[in-house]
Amino acid sequence: MIVLNKTTPQNLKVIARQYVNEFTFSYTDDSTNVETQVQISNASISGNYLAWSQNFNPLLVLNHFYNIELFSDYAFWNTNYSLWENFNELWNDSSNFKNVFYRDRIFCTDQLVDQKNGDFYDINKGLYVTTDTYNNEYIVTS
């Protein structure tokens, strides 16, 4: 799971099954089931990571989960030029074939989450406060 905040743009790095510079980034809100697709054409490959900068429009909603997919959509011309001879249907405009090479989930929060340093997400952060400034003595009167 990828943990993001509400600010935009976000820098994303994933370990994908396929490394390409141009692909479609799709994210779907679990609560509203609204899907948004964005064409990415400036991804870079750094070691084993596929990295790019993403502006989210519409903006991510706090405390919502999103399903994401990275795929090559063969319904668009020149998306994957290297396979054009192998399969004729890739060049049909009505083709529903897409090559999904990464799936994951995003969680949007405004909390600082850094698991390497022990900063984990707390669902009750700021809502439940304990105090230890109390007097626990019983008053007994006769």
Side-chain angles (χ1 to χ4, degrees), residues 91-133:
W91 290 99
N92 284 340
D93 288 335
S94 61
S95 173
N96 292 328
F97 181 72
K98 64 181 184 180
N99 177 27
V100 177
F101 56 88
Y102 184 78
R103 285 191 178 126
D104 205 347
R105 288 178 60 87
I106 291 177
F107 179 66
C108 180
T109 180
D110 59 352
Q111 294 183 22
L112 177 64
V113 178
D114 186 8
Q115 294 180 354
K116 291 179 184 176
N117 294 330
D119 296 331
F120 298 101
Y121 176 75
D122 183 10
I123 194 168
N124 294 323
K125 187 172 186 174
L127 297 177
Y128 179 73
V129 179
T130 60
T131 61
D132 50 355
T133 58

Side-chain angles (χ1 to χ4, degrees), residues 28-127:
T28 306
D29 189 339
D30 274 0
S31 300
T32 61
N33 205 26
V34 173
E35 180 182 13
T36 306
Q37 292 186 359
V38 180
Q39 290 292 114
I40 304 295
S41 59
N42 61 349
S44 63
I45 300 167
S46 159
N48 291 330
Y49 291 98
L50 181 63
W52 73 98
S53 181
Q54 178 64 46
N55 287 319
F56 288 95
N57 187 14
L59 291 176
L60 298 178
V61 179
L62 287 178
N63 301 325
H64 277 217
F65 287 92
Y66 296 87
N67 293 321
I68 64 170
E69 283 186 340
L70 305 181
F71 60 89
S72 297
D73 188 359
Y74 296 118
F76 295 102
W77 289 86
N78 294 328
T79 299
N80 195 344
Y81 185 72
S82 63
L83 295 177
W84 76 274
E85 288 183 325
N86 294 339
F87 190 49
N88 292 7
E89 191 168 327
L90 296 180
W91 290 99
N92 284 340
D93 288 335
S94 61
S95 173
N96 292 328
F97 181 72
K98 64 181 184 180
N99 177 27
V100 177
F101 56 88
Y102 184 78
R103 285 191 178 126
D104 205 347
R105 288 178 60 87
I106 291 177
F107 179 66
C108 180
T109 180
D110 59 352
Q111 294 183 22
L112 177 64
V113 178
D114 186 8
Q115 294 180 354
K116 291 179 184 176
N117 294 330
D119 296 331
F120 298 101
Y121 176 75
D122 183 10
I123 194 168
N124 294 323
K125 187 172 186 174
L127 297 177

